[in-house]
Structure formats: C-alpha cells, structure tokens
Amino acid sequence: MPITPASATHRSSNGTAEAILLELVDENGTTIGTAEKLAAHQPPGRLHRAFSVFLFDEQGRLLLQQRALGKYHSPGVWSNTCCGHPYPGEAPFAAAARRTFEELGVSPSLMAQAGTVRYHHPDPASGLVEQEYNHLFVGLVQSPLDPDPEEVGATAFVTAGELAERHAKDTFSSWFMTVLDAARPAIRELTQPSAGW
C-alpha cells in the first residue's frame, strides 16, 4: 500500500500522482461511493469512513501525537495516537495498523476494535469539515517510536490527569474528545480502572 502523505495525492504503482479516494458511507456505515479526500472535507462535508487509534504504554499512559505543521488539515494540533481514512475496500483494522506504522514507525500490540462513532465537526482554522463514520481501535505500544516528521510534529505519553491538564492549555483536534469519549469503555478494559480512564 502506498503511504498517505499530508497532501491529498499519492504515487501509484506506475509512479504517477493519483488523488486519494475515501469511502463515502450512509448513516449505518454502508459504503455508497467514493470521493476525493479534500473534496470530502469541504463544507458541508460528506460522510465518509475513518478510523481513530488509541495506544497505551504498559503504565496505562495514552500516546498522543501533535500533527505536523505541514498537514493541510488541523496542522500543529494535538490528537489521539493515529487517525486517518481507509482506502476504498481496505478494512478499517488494516488501515489503522498501516497508518500507525507509517506515521509512528511502530506496529500496535493487542489492537482491538472499540466500536464506532459518527460525528460532524467543522474546523474553524482551516474551514474544513469532519463528517465521519469513525471506527475506533485501542491497543498497546511496546517498541520505540520512529515518527515520520512529515506527519508527526511531536509525541507524548500522558496519564488521564496529565491529559486533562494538557487539554485545558493546548489546542487539540476538533474530533479528539468525541473519539476519546466513545472509546473509553474499551480503554478502561485495556488499561484497568487504576489508570483512571
């Protein structure tokens, strides 16, 4: 699979640039077509399939990433471990594992599905809109990170308490709290109650 860059194109097997297509879905998550990535995020937004990954270390701390400044959508903001879009026909689980490796240089351990959430979040800074049917995944990270600087500006492992402090002072993605709250039951099961999630 080609690596999905910060822009909305990728190189095909013959070396030419191709638009990245996303799966459009209905309210039940059934695929109804495709749209070019940037076009799907133009107001009012078109409902499309996405994924969000939450990885934790063995102390129960969440791995956050700060999106690289060069990204066309929500640059420089903090968000969950990894998020993105499956290619048309690609299973969300496979896409989540692929992008986590592409962005952070690690393969998740014990990654499991954590449900889905549907949301509509405009991003005032960019003017783009997130209309997503989002597949959630939780897992562990058990090897050193090797982030791609074109995708990731910084990383941090945080406890639940540290996240609350950071969220009060730093800028986070518009979708972050929605996906975190939706994933909390699976996060608690993975990290145990003592971690405070």
Side-chain angles (χ1 to χ4, degrees):
M1 281 291 190
I3 291 175
T4 308
S7 66
T9 61
H10 74 266
R11 296 281 168 198
S12 69
S13 58
N14 65 8
T16 60
E18 295 179 350
I20 293 175
L21 297 178
L22 307 184
E23 277 189 359
L24 299 179
V25 300
D26 65 17
E27 293 293 338
N28 298 313
T30 303
T31 302
I32 58 171
T34 60
E36 188 274 325
K37 183 177 180 181
L38 188 55
H41 290 88
Q42 298 289 343
R46 299 184 70 187
L47 184 59
H48 58 274
R49 193 176 311 284
F51 63 82
S52 290
V53 178
F54 296 85
L55 297 184
F56 295 82
D57 66 10
E58 293 182 2
Q59 289 77 50
R61 298 180 303 167
L62 172 60
L63 173 59
L64 297 176
Q65 74 153 272
Q66 185 181 37
R67 294 166 62 85
L69 291 175
K71 293 181 82 72
Y72 78 94
H73 189 351
S74 302
V77 303
W78 287 91
S79 199
N80 49 291
T81 307
C82 180
C83 51
H85 310 92
Y87 294 123
E90 182 181 25
F93 185 94
R98 172 181 58 80
R99 282 303 287 159
T100 300
F101 184 78
E102 289 173 358
E103 291 186 7
L104 295 161
V106 294
S107 294
S109 303
L110 302 175
M111 192 168 77
Q113 295 182 28
T116 59
V117 63
R118 192 267 196 244
Y119 54 79
H120 173 221
H121 287 301
D123 177 35
S126 68
L128 300 175
V129 176
E130 291 289 5
Q131 280 263 35
E132 295 190 331
Y133 187 93
N134 197 301
H135 297 258
L136 307 171
F137 299 94
V138 300
L140 299 177
V141 59
Q142 297 178 302
S143 54
L145 303 177
D146 183 20
D148 176 352
E150 291 189 14
E151 297 288 342
V152 181
T155 60
F157 283 96
V158 296
T159 65
E162 290 166 344
L163 175 61
E165 292 174 11
R166 186 180 284 260
H167 194 262
K169 64 181 179 68
D170 290 335
T171 304
F172 277 72
S173 64
S174 60
W175 61 87
F176 176 73
M177 287 308 298
T178 300
V179 294
L180 176 63
D181 287 344
R184 279 188 198 273
I187 290 171
R188 291 182 183 122
E189 190 173 324
L190 177 73
T191 61
Q192 303 306 314
S194 59
W197 293 104

